[in-house]
Amino acid sequence: MSCQVLVLNSGSSSIKFSLFDEQQSKLVSQYNGQITGLGLNAHFTVCGFDNNESISLSKTTDHLSALKYLFDWLKQKLNSNKELFVGHRVVHGGNDFHLPTVVTPEILTKLKKLEPLAPLHQTYNLAAIESLMHIDQAIPQVACFDTAFHANHGKPNNQFALPDQYYEQGVRRYGFHGLSYEYIATELKQTEPELASGKIIVAHLGNGSSLCALNQCKSIDSSMGFSALDGLMMGTRCGSIDAGVILYLLEEKKLNAQQVNDLLYKQSGLLGVSKVSNDMSALLQSEESTAQEAIDLYIHRIIREAGCLLALLKGIDGLVFTAGIGENAAEIRKRICDELVWLGVEIDENANRENCSEISTNDSTVRVLVIPTNEELMIAQHTYEILNNEVSMPRKLAIGN
Ligand code: ADP
């Protein structure tokens, strides 16, 4: 029996979903949509091969009722002759989960213990799994982890200079956006095998932003560490910060832990510095000087972190931009590349402006690519491969959309 794979990416106020259909050993995207404004002003939108819909839902819609709505909607779309598999993006796999994992109630309990490590994401990722268990316990669910691609970092890359007991307790640098980096690595291996065998920095620049150093398409290090707060400046997150600032806020400014948490995760980054928006396109259009200041700092932090990864890799053959800002914001790519001219980076301004897949000139010593990420497809493929092996006769997937 062939299958359909529903991919869920559940956040604090929204659930994004994609439905893939297995057709001739390929997973074909059928629908992409989201339920936004959970608990406030819920709205369902979907784009599909046969129709697009946009519907306002009851204001009280929470994660459970949003999923119930989605499953009612899906009933008309699902093929009853196919098995349904569900794959979830789960931000943190901690020390124990290095591979996509079929979720049982016991596994869910273990994953919940990681909630404090990623308060902005993990709780909501798991809420979708738990809600779905209530809706239909028989649907097989797989958790795919954003940390897994970085699981082989090893010491010293995954270490803090804290007493060793904390390392043993899991206080380590994990790295995130792993599903995005894994997708980029898979694409590079297929489309640019020679470059893929070299050294590359991938810049995942979205609401959450990070850099990853790849050597032969394996993750060597990442700008994100213990939590998704580390590294680059982001939409509302501050990125790396001197631990002394946290102590000062707690001890001298008398902020409590929850206030510090909100400050670092929700009120900082582009939003905090600009006081205009957390959204890069809004900042690029804004005439406020603070919007420019926020963009300047965003670029500065990328160059600073890129310098660390460049030194670890001892030079690069390629630089890849991905995610909302990386794929679409030509001005940001140009400013980053202009800071790397010393390295031999040279971009073709027209190609950059048109978001071409390769934006470096022939003379550039570093190839600069723009590759749209597809974390959903990565999750669907993992979910398919793991469940297909468990549920029925294994079928090998042909890679691709
Ligand atoms: P998420 O981390 O939520 O998945 P995305 O990868 O969708 O985020 O990236 C969202 C960011 O991309 C926002 O800051 C948005 O303004 C920015 N972005 C999207 N399109 C453009 C564009 N054309 N120009 C500039 N920024 C853009």
Side-chain angles (χ1 to χ4, degrees), residues 16 204-208 278-282 284 323-325 328-329:
K16 294 182 184 160
H204 176 109
L205 306 179
N207 274 322
N278 64 322
D279 190 278
M280 183 57 86
S281 17
L284 286 167
I325 297 170
N328 300 297

Side-chain angles (χ1 to χ4, degrees), residues 9 16 89 177 204-209 235 237 270 277-285 322-330 332 355 373 375:
N9 181 356
K16 294 182 184 160
R89 177 185 180 203
H177 291 135
H204 176 109
L205 306 179
N207 274 322
S209 295
R237 287 172 256 167
L270 294 173
S277 174
N278 64 322
D279 190 278
M280 183 57 86
S281 17
L283 295 184
L284 286 167
Q285 284 160 31
T322 194
I325 297 170
E327 291 165 29
N328 300 297
I332 299 298
N355 297 327
T373 193
E375 290 151 295

Side-chain angles (χ1 to χ4, degrees), residues 177-218:
H177 291 135
L179 292 157
S180 173
Y181 294 127
E182 187 182 7
Y183 176 80
I184 300 293
T186 311
E187 277 291 294
L188 283 168
K189 280 191 235 169
Q190 279 166 31
T191 57
E192 297 283 351
E194 199 182 323
L195 182 61
S197 67
K199 296 184 277 193
I200 298 166
I201 290 180
V202 185
H204 176 109
L205 306 179
N207 274 322
S209 295
S210 71
L211 303 180
C212 179
L214 296 180
N215 193 357
Q216 298 184 345
C217 278
K218 293 208 166 50

Side-chain angles (χ1 to χ4, degrees), residues 270-291:
L270 294 173
L271 176 67
V273 176
S274 71
K275 297 191 224 74
V276 173
S277 174
N278 64 322
D279 190 278
M280 183 57 86
S281 17
L283 295 184
L284 286 167
Q285 284 160 31
S286 168
E287 286 173 5
E288 298 289 334
S289 62
T290 50

Side-chain angles (χ1 to χ4, degrees), residues 59-76:
K59 285 200 184 337
T60 54
T61 303
D62 59 8
H63 283 81
L64 179 58
S65 45
L67 279 175
K68 279 187 179 151
Y69 182 89
L70 175 61
F71 271 79
D72 280 343
W73 179 85
L74 274 174
K75 271 184 200 147
Q76 325 143 37

Side-chain angles (χ1 to χ4, degrees), residues 37 40 67 87 110 120 144 198 223 257 260-261 314 341 363-364 393:
L40 201 70
L67 279 175
K110 285 188 183 172
L120 203 60
C144 299
S223 62
V260 174
N261 189 309
K314 301 185 174 67
V341 167
D363 291 335
S364 181
M393 286 293 290

